[in-house]
Amino acid sequence: MKLKPFLTLFAALALCGAGQLSAQKADFHVVPLPREVKTLNGAPFTLTATTRISYPKGDAVLRRNAEFLAEYIKQATGLSLPLKKNARGANVIRLRTGLNGNPEGYRLSVNADGVDIEGTTAAGVFYGIQTLRKAVAGGGVELPSTVVNDEPRFSYRGAHLDVSRHFITPDSVRRFIDMLALHNINRLHWHLSDDQGWRIEIRKYPRLTTVGSYRPESVIGHNTGRYDGRPHSGYYTQREARDIVEYARERHITIIPEIDMPGHMQAALAAYPELGCTGGPYEVWKMWGVSDDVLCAGNDRVLQFIDDVLGEIADIFPSEYIHVGGDECPKVRWKDCPKCQQRILDNHLQADGKHTAEERLQSYVIRHAEQRLSALGRKMIGWDETLEGGLAPGATVMSWRGEAGGIEAARLGHDVIMTPNTYLYFDYYQTADIKNEPDAIGGCLPVALVYSYNPLPEGLTPEQAKHVIGVQANLWTEYIPTYRQVEYMELPRMAALSEIQWTPQSMRDYKDFRRRIPAFIRLYDLQGYNYARHLFDVEANYIPTPERHAIAAELGTIDNAEVHYTLDGSAPTAQSPRYAGPVDINRSCTFQAAAFRPTGKTRTLTENFHFSKSTACPVTLLQPSHSQYTYAGASMLTDGRLGETNNYNTGRWIAFSGTDLEAVIDLGCEMPVSSVSFNVTILKSNWVMDARGVEIALSTDGQNFTEVFRRDIPPMKETDPDEIYPHRYTFPAATARYVKVKVLSEHVLPEWHGAHGKEGFLFVDELMVE
Ligand code: TNX
């Protein structure tokens, strides 16, 4: 392969954008950032076609590492370096083990004679190789004299992949594994079974794959009730799975298989209906969500099934850990099932203050699985629900519903892997601009938010903190039908993840990460990965400026690229006004901006501004908003920007829970007013509800308010749609400078709601006064 010229936008960026990067010199400030990069005064080393890669004679693993390095260097620089056993002399890249310390640590040193990569183990050498590969990604063959001392922050650095909802071919799984290696990830959590498909051959239960891996069609979108009519199927033979295990092992990655039980089992029930409480018939599920049909916990054949399946799984996967799921197991079938109720009686699984009898029955099943694994010499991992009802001491907890489960587990002395959905669910949208994205499950998790995550929560003692053994991001594939989209959802968020997993917290800095990203992304280009490009788009900040009754739009890009904008709804071109500093927006309009680089134009940023008398005016909140959904705070209510979509995570909606929206707007001077309007977004299943009442009061001095409007709003009905609800209230015109608006939230979720009695959320976008 010839040296690839700088074909792509991001390659060009890496070279000219950030300034300190150069086409000629390698840079060891890679992603994830190594613990220590010392630049020395010595002469540099230059890679040439005669540089040899040396490994110790007889060391097959280091030889394999050497092959990887040769492949990587060829890809980045075009040089084909020969491998040599125990090469002597200069002009050598030498691989060896024998360093002391962290088993995945390494030291990489460059001097005029060559490069030494010394790992504690072969895995350490592998990470040194990854660092060298990244340092030369820009094609630079001159390596400055440097010492890199490096080791990971966490020993468990995971990525999860759901192949049940959408099957992923063995070739694509291997491509995924290569992607993990590039990010120094060492665990692949392979979600092999779920309601929608069973994906691994089990010899004792052939119908699991002949029946359970096939669904005749899938629901369209978010359980719309319409189906696509397209069959979906696929599974891995044991042989294929073993090949993949080996492929991963060569890249120092362990595969942790998950068989999700006792819930998320409908595909298995379709194959073996006798394993369910009702006996079926069941079908491989065609919709998304959580099925009520689960394994029958009162049936001894189910326990046998668990033993058999885990036996074969342990035989295919040499991993120390095996994941048994344990999440989201509805108890409705168990409540009505005589066998389950008998099991509860026989084992004295009475309800106690904390858990129902059925929750304790779930814990009975999980303990059974744990014992089986322990007899097989393995350790169990379960989702955080496995804590409910008590968990076997040796079990490890994966905390997905935020961090609470992980904190509790660490306090109880269990090892914990943090995978909180709030930061690490890569099936969530990665930009607030969701209208221009492929359909996703919801949420909003841009790279910056991922990067901000620290897996060691405050409030753990150092002893408890040691139980947090690692971090993982999860990719659920309900809304990810193709492997190309897997890459799109993972990248570049996986780069942020890798730094959470690898780099010491004290060295983590988002701005610095952004500076290093263009060079790293050159590797995505070399691999042909389908990565998301939002990081390179125009970013905007909108700042209400009451003095000018305007919203100041502040724009920027990662590399200070040329930005052009328009205010008339036309698409920006290189001839549109060039951004040179904050742009005042002082009327309703469509504002658009795009970055222009020699390599092309980015996606256009579009913002619709809606001006009213209150736009850009100061707002004070008299009750606090919810900390997780506060964003820019009160000023969001008068920044001229509406919610636009009913996704409540976009940062365009501010939320109240347990409190009400109670705001005072200062219009700046007295003026006639006669209406207030706002939108509320609804997602009932997530406790996101409509307002329960509105009160409006006016004042000329900000002290004495006169109520001009009050209305109660009835509670929501179960059948009310999930969408944006517009609210507009008029009252007899009066003169005022201050407008106080109170929007009551749903403090008690109604009877029909799954979380009846809990506090709901109120999400409001903007307060518009006319
Ligand atoms: C919850 S995370 C699930 C999955 C879904 C996912 C969608 C977990 C243990 N269970 O079954 O696919 O949400 O984000």
Side-chain angles (χ1 to χ4, degrees), residues 165 194 264 327-328 383 400 425 427-428 441 476 478:
R165 274 58 177 266
D194 215 303
H264 288 280
D327 59 315
E328 301 178 321
W383 297 110
W400 73 277
Y425 266 38
D427 55 338
Y428 291 4
I441 195 164
W476 302 100
E478 290 96 328

Side-chain angles (χ1 to χ4, degrees), residues 283-575:
E283 58 171 20
V284 178
W285 221 23
K286 303 187 289 192
M287 359 190 305
W288 316 128
V290 180
S291 167
D292 282 340
D293 286 303
V294 303
L295 290 178
C296 174
N299 184 344
D300 287 340
R301 287 180 66 180
V302 165
L303 301 181
Q304 187 62 47
F305 171 78
I306 293 173
D307 291 349
D308 293 340
V309 169
L310 291 180
E312 290 194 36
I313 289 288
D315 189 50
I316 305 167
F317 297 94
S319 158
E320 176 187 18
Y321 289 109
I322 292 185
H323 202 305
V324 299
D327 59 315
E328 301 178 321
C329 179
K331 310 293 189 297
V332 286
R333 296 288 179 266
W334 292 357
K335 281 198 180 113
D336 293 337
C337 170
K339 286 197 209 108
C340 289
Q341 292 304 318
Q342 191 60 46
R343 178 88 78 204
I344 286 172
L345 283 179
D346 293 348
N347 291 276
H348 314 292
L349 303 173
Q350 297 97 331
D352 56 25
K354 276 167 75 188
H355 303 292
T356 64
E358 287 75 19
E359 280 168 352
R360 298 195 57 208
L361 183 57
Q362 144 119 354
S363 156
Y364 173 91
V365 176
I366 295 294
R367 276 169 185 266
H368 179 87
E370 199 273 336
Q371 277 159 17
R372 171 67 173 147
L373 287 178
S374 160
L376 291 162
R378 308 304 175 88
K379 290 189 184 163
M380 186 192 97
I381 304 181
W383 297 110
D384 55 52
E385 286 94 334
T386 55
L387 276 172
E388 292 163 7
L391 184 56
T396 295
V397 172
M398 207 169 249
S399 185
W400 73 277
R401 295 173 302 178
E403 296 181 84
I407 294 171
E408 188 192 338
R411 293 210 167 116
L412 291 169
H414 292 287
D415 281 351
V416 171
I417 296 151
M418 290 293 193
T419 70
N421 52 358
T422 37
Y423 293 96
L424 296 175
Y425 266 38
F426 290 175
D427 55 338
Y428 291 4
Y429 285 104
Q430 51 191 317
T431 166
D433 182 21
I434 61 182
K435 281 181 292 189
N436 291 311
E437 289 296 298
D439 192 23
I441 195 164
C444 182
L445 202 50
V447 180
L449 188 56
V450 173
Y451 195 86
S452 72
Y453 180 56
N454 177 3
L456 287 184
E458 282 175 24
L460 290 185
T461 65
E463 210 37 54
Q464 291 162 348
K466 276 191 208 141
H467 284 296
V468 179
I469 59 169
V471 199
Q472 174 176 296
N474 296 341
L475 196 73
W476 302 100
T477 55
E478 290 96 328
Y479 301 93
I480 307 181
T482 65
Y483 184 71
R484 257 184 87 66
Q485 206 175 326
V486 167
E487 289 183 352
Y488 180 78
M489 298 306 276
E490 292 278 3
L491 304 176
R493 289 188 286 196
M494 190 174 271
L497 170 70
S498 79
E499 217 143 280
I500 298 172
Q501 294 172 326
W502 186 278
T503 306
Q505 185 67 17
S506 61
M507 294 174 62
R508 297 216 297 118
D509 173 53
Y510 182 62
K511 282 214 180 103
D512 182 58
F513 170 75
R514 272 181 32 147
R515 272 196 295 277
R516 289 178 280 113
I517 264 290
F520 182 61
I521 277 184
R522 164 108 170 110
L523 285 156
Y524 292 177
D525 284 324
L526 288 173
Q527 299 289 343
Y529 291 154
N530 177 33
Y531 59 96
R533 275 134 165 103
H534 307 96
L535 269 182
F536 301 93
D537 291 347
V538 177
E539 292 174 0
N541 238 327
Y542 301 107
I543 304 151
T545 37
E547 318 83 78
R548 302 197 297 276
H549 198 67
I551 305 292
E554 228 179 59
L555 307 180
T557 58
I558 194 169
D559 58 336
N560 287 322
E562 191 174 311
V563 172
H564 296 266
Y565 66 92
T566 60
L567 289 157
D568 60 2
S570 67
T573 67
Q575 279 69 52

Side-chain angles (χ1 to χ4, degrees), residues 737-758:
R737 172 170 171 179
Y738 300 92
V739 182
K740 188 195 279 189
V741 183
K742 189 165 176 181
V743 185
L744 300 173
S745 71
E746 179 55 275
H747 286 242
V748 182
L749 290 173
E751 197 96 30
W752 53 262
H753 197 282
H756 167 56
K758 296 261 172 46

